[in-house]
């Protein structure tokens, strides 16, 4: 009888131990699943914070990060880096004539056209702000960047987005400032951005619906500004 009692006691202990092991194992699996879910959620939130909510293109924050990363990469590789700053021509007129909802739809269509112009996996295209968009083109010189800008104009023309309030075309067009350099320790990504911004201004000053990659035009504008000061 004592032996039977001992066997029953051992079986009871074994059952309790198995239950404890099962509960511990279940708790570990649940914790890991919860932890993995949190990681996925944080990653999703991080990804969404880097996208423009309207066009679903990378936003200004994403551009700032991409520009610095590509600048450092091209600096180490001693390879060229190009930047395109693009602005929709007379977009204020578009909003004023058709309303902001139509303007939002227009921005979405423009974004789709710009995606087509960024053909390499390494090409970055994002919304810089408002009606401005930007390309970051690693391993690309001024000639290569000019070809991308030409592709932007072609894709926009093919999209045929009506713009009755434009002063240069019946369709949506863009002015583009193009700049490129081989990054060095004596220069900065901000200087490249400023150069593309000056050339965008030159494109607007010389009639819009065009790209400017000419340093001479940039210098002329600098002189004109200096004369005004």
């Amino acid at each position: 009888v004592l032996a039977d009692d001992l066997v029953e006691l051992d079986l009871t202990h074994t059952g309790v131990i198995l239950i404890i092991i099962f509960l511990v194992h279940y708790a570990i699996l649940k914790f890991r699943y919860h932890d993995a879910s949190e990681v996925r959620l944080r990653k999703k939130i991080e990804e969404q914070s880097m996208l423009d909510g309207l066009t679903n293109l990378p936003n200004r924050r994403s551009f700032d990060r991409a520009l610095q990363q590509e600048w450092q990469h091209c600096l180490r590789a001693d390879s060229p880096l190009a930047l395109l700053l693009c602005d929709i021509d007379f977009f204020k007129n578009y909003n004023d004539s058709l309303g902001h909802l139509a303007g939002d739809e227009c921005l979405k269509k423009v974004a789709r056209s710009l995606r087509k112009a960024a053909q390499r996996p390494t090409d970055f295209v994002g919304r810089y702000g408002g009606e401005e968009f930007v390309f970051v083109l690693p391993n690309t010189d001024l000639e290569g960047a000019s070809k991308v800008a030409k592709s932007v104009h072609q894709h926009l023309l093919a999209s045929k987005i009506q713009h009755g309030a434009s002063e240069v075309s019946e369709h949506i067009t863009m002015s583009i400032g193009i700049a490129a350099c081989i990054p060095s320790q004596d220069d900065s990504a901000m200087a490249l951005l400023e150069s593309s911004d000056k050339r965008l201004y030159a494109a607007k000053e010389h009639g819009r619906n065009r790209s400017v990659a000419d340093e001479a035009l940039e210098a002329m504008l600098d002189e004109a500004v200096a004369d005004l000061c």
Side-chain angles (χ1 to χ4, degrees), residues 8-19:
E8 185 178 348
L9 183 60
D10 286 343
L11 289 175
T12 302
H13 284 172
T14 302
V16 171
I17 291 170
L18 289 174
I19 291 172

Side-chain angles (χ1 to χ4, degrees), residues 120-194:
R120 300 179 305 173
T122 54
D123 291 345
F124 173 98
V125 56
R127 188 180 180 192
Y128 189 70
E131 66 271 23
E132 288 188 323
F133 297 83
V134 65
F135 285 79
V136 181
L137 307 172
N139 304 311
T140 305
D141 59 15
L142 207 57
E143 182 180 357
S146 296
K147 290 179 180 178
V148 175
K150 183 178 180 181
S151 179
V152 170
H153 291 301
Q154 290 172 339
H155 282 298
L156 273 180
L157 182 63
S159 68
K160 295 183 178 180
I161 307 170
Q162 292 291 328
H163 189 353
S166 173
E167 298 177 20
V168 293
S169 172
E170 62 182 9
H171 298 110
I172 285 290
T173 60
M174 275 189 149
S175 298
I176 304 175
I178 308 170
C181 71
I182 297 178
S184 70
Q185 296 290 356
D186 298 327
D187 214 339
S188 69
M190 186 55 63
L192 181 64
L193 178 59
E194 289 174 354

Side-chain angles (χ1 to χ4, degrees), residues 82-86 137 140-150 153 175-180 192 195-200 203 210-215 218:
L83 204 63
L84 270 61
L85 197 55
C86 316
L137 307 172
T140 305
D141 59 15
L142 207 57
E143 182 180 357
S146 296
K147 290 179 180 178
V148 175
K150 183 178 180 181
H153 291 301
S175 298
I176 304 175
I178 308 170
L192 181 64
S195 183
S196 63
D197 186 51
K198 287 180 181 178
R199 294 174 191 188
L200 171 59
R210 68 192 64 229
S211 302
V212 167
D214 191 343
E215 292 183 15
E218 182 182 340

Side-chain angles (χ1 to χ4, degrees), residues 7 9 71 88:
V7 169
L9 183 60
W71 179 271
I88 300 175

Side-chain angles (χ1 to χ4, degrees), residues 16-32:
V16 171
I17 291 170
L18 289 174
I19 291 172
I20 292 173
I21 291 173
F22 171 78
L23 291 174
V24 170
H25 183 65
Y26 175 77
I28 291 172
L29 289 177
K30 189 173 183 180
F31 174 78
R32 287 179 177 174

